Amino acid sequence: MKAVVLENKGVITYKEVPTPEPAPGHLRLKIKAVSICGSDIKRYVDGHRMYPLILGHESAGVIDLIGEGVNKDYLGKHAAVIPLVPCFVCEQCQRGFYSACHNYSFIGSRQDGCYAEYVDLTEKNLFVVPEKLSFEHVAMIEPSTVARHMLALGDFKRGETAIVLGAGSIGLMIVQWLRILGAEKIIVTDILEDNLKIASKLGANVTVNPSKVDMVKELQKLVGDGADLTLEATGVPQVLEQTLPITRPRGTIVLAGNQPLDKSLPLTFIENLMRREISLKGCFMSYSAPFPGHEWAETIDALLNGSLDIETIISHRYPLSQAPEIFEKIGAHQLTHQKIVLNPEETV
Ligand SMILES: [Zn+2]
Ligand SMILES: [Zn+2]
């Protein structure tokens, strides 16, 4: 089969690789759509833990082959890939904290992923979906679940006011979940006007561009003593620091942006956090018990009833074969984009 393989830091190729044959207990998914995640780009630009590796974890397809011992009813079913492969036995898995598993794998990061014609999976890593959903939309269930999980971690309640820092793909998913779950006011910040326009279309009530105004002052004008919930999705240290003065005392901040590891925060951050008795919560992936969690089922419901808009956040579609040039362009900051969908079938 053809696949897109990360060969080394900054080196990605489209080439022929062995087609997976499912082992006993495994299934094979014929990939119909896979979207590019910011983490895939990071693995390409900054380098990764292992090579060669087929990237890609936001994906959907059709189950086309089953290994020994797998129920035949799976054949032909449409499914989303659940990329986390927890051990299900360690202390954290027992608690249902799967993303803290002591011994996990991850499709497209620690084992071969979905930038390919086929991917090999276990039953637990397939989320069977209704056939009427488009594969492109199903591929984006995973990033939606991360946003939904952030709101669960932030204990979001209907009627609350929220600030979303960063209107990239996760930020735009968060905006939608805030709208779906009944936020009173959704305020979104981003330095790109295009991102803010999309955020408004998806449910933001107010948008603020920090490259044009003093962000903290502007947000304080809008929320007074602070928002109930602040969601950080930029991964920029200065933005992280600014979360405190815009969150109300006893409010909550949830972090999902990956911060640069060579930077640090002044301890005044902790001082201010303590004085305002703010809860700071980390978010890593999207899982809860029972695996993969309510985030997944709720996303399906939102896709079926039309409340989750995926179409608006898809900016580009390409055949899988073009992935190397697309990564090169993104790495060189020559392609502004929202979600990019790759389609393996168009390569034939
Ligand atoms: Zn992702
Ligand atoms: Zn485990």
Side-chain angles (χ1 to χ4, degrees):
M1 68 170 179
K2 288 283 197 274
V4 174
V5 181
L6 182 66
E7 313 266 13
N8 211 322
K9 179 175 166 173
V11 183
I12 198 164
T13 54
Y14 178 71
K15 64 186 212 185
E16 190 68 29
V17 299
T19 306
E21 290 292 327
H26 284 228
L27 306 89
R28 188 171 78 180
L29 191 72
K30 184 172 171 51
I31 306 289
K32 295 285 191 176
V34 54
S35 55
I36 298 180
C37 176
S39 69
D40 295 331
I41 296 162
K42 200 168 148 44
R43 288 176 187 110
Y44 164 77
V45 172
D46 297 341
H48 190 48
R49 68 183 69 244
M50 60 180 277
Y51 308 106
L53 179 78
I54 301 172
L55 294 174
H57 58 271
E58 301 176 356
S59 184
V62 180
I63 298 161
D64 86 319
L65 207 58
I66 54 168
E68 214 183 292
V70 176
N71 190 331
K72 283 194 174 62
D73 291 349
Y74 273 114
L75 284 170
K77 290 264 194 298
H78 295 195
V81 171
I82 302 168
L84 181 67
V85 187
C87 75
F88 292 108
V89 293
C90 76
E91 188 186 335
Q92 298 311 326
C93 283
Q94 297 283 320
R95 286 179 148 155
F97 302 163
Y98 302 108
S99 58
C101 172
H102 293 186
N103 187 26
Y104 71 94
S105 182
F106 194 90
I107 293 162
S109 165
R110 291 168 184 243
Q111 68 184 66
D112 277 337
C114 308
Y115 290 177
E117 288 180 80
Y118 300 93
V119 67
D120 176 76
L121 309 152
T122 66
E123 219 173 298
K124 283 205 156 62
N125 290 97
L126 285 166
F127 195 83
V128 173
V129 300
E131 283 184 21
K132 65 174 167 183
L133 294 175
S134 91
F135 289 111
E136 292 185 344
H137 296 181
V138 172
M140 270 172 260
I141 292 175
E142 196 268 350
S144 158
T145 64
V146 176
R148 178 64 190 88
H149 189 58
M150 283 180 80
L151 297 191
L153 289 168
D155 196 20
F156 172 78
K157 290 178 199 71
R158 180 171 292 276
E160 287 190 333
T161 288
I163 296 174
V164 183
L165 302 165
S169 45
I170 291 295
L172 292 174
M173 290 288 192
I174 297 169
V175 169
Q176 299 207 62
W177 276 110
L178 286 167
R179 167 176 48 75
I180 293 166
L181 298 176
E184 167 68 27
K185 195 188 242 180
I186 306 167
I187 302 160
V188 182
T189 72
D190 200 285
I191 52 172
L192 298 175
E193 281 302 319
D194 282 351
N195 287 1
L196 293 177
K197 265 186 214 139
I198 300 173
S200 299
K201 190 176 170 203
L202 295 175
N205 304 108
V206 189
T207 62
V208 173
N209 186 333
S211 67
K212 295 184 177 163
V213 294
D214 181 324
M215 183 178 92
V216 172
K217 273 195 192 143
E218 201 64 27
L219 291 173
Q220 284 173 333
K221 268 189 236 162
L222 294 163
V223 293
D225 236 1
D228 299 302
L229 178 62
T230 299
L231 303 126
E232 206 296 307
T234 68
V236 176
Q238 299 91 301
V239 177
L240 171 55
E241 260 191 275
Q242 289 170 331
T243 54
L244 291 176
I246 60 171
T247 307
R248 70 163 164 81
R250 298 219 180 172
T252 303
I253 301 166
V254 184
L255 308 178
N258 289 312
Q259 294 287 337
L261 301 180
D262 58 346
K263 296 286 189 305
S264 52
L265 278 183
L267 283 177
T268 48
F269 183 82
I270 299 298
E271 165 79 4
N272 293 331
L273 181 86
M274 289 168 68
R275 283 176 180 270
R276 292 170 80 83
E277 297 188 340
I278 283 173
S279 301
L280 182 65
K281 303 217 172 172
C283 172
F284 186 51
M285 306 193 270
S286 64
Y287 300 91
S288 59
F291 189 81
H294 66 94
E295 297 85 349
W296 292 72
E298 284 184 50
T299 294
I300 290 289
D301 289 346
L303 286 176
L304 286 171
N305 69 26
S307 55
L308 188 67
D309 178 352
I310 300 293
E311 216 47 44
T312 299
I313 61 176
I314 297 176
S315 61
H316 300 81
R317 293 173 167 89
Y318 295 106
L320 184 66
S321 57
Q322 283 184 26
E325 24 184 316
I326 297 157
F327 271 76
E328 204 174 306
K329 271 191 192 157
I330 297 172
H333 303 287
Q334 286 167 352
L335 181 67
T336 48
H337 61 97
Q338 286 295 334
K339 272 300 190 189
I340 299 173
V341 183
L342 302 172
N343 186 335
E345 286 191 333
E346 287 174 30
T347 62
V348 186

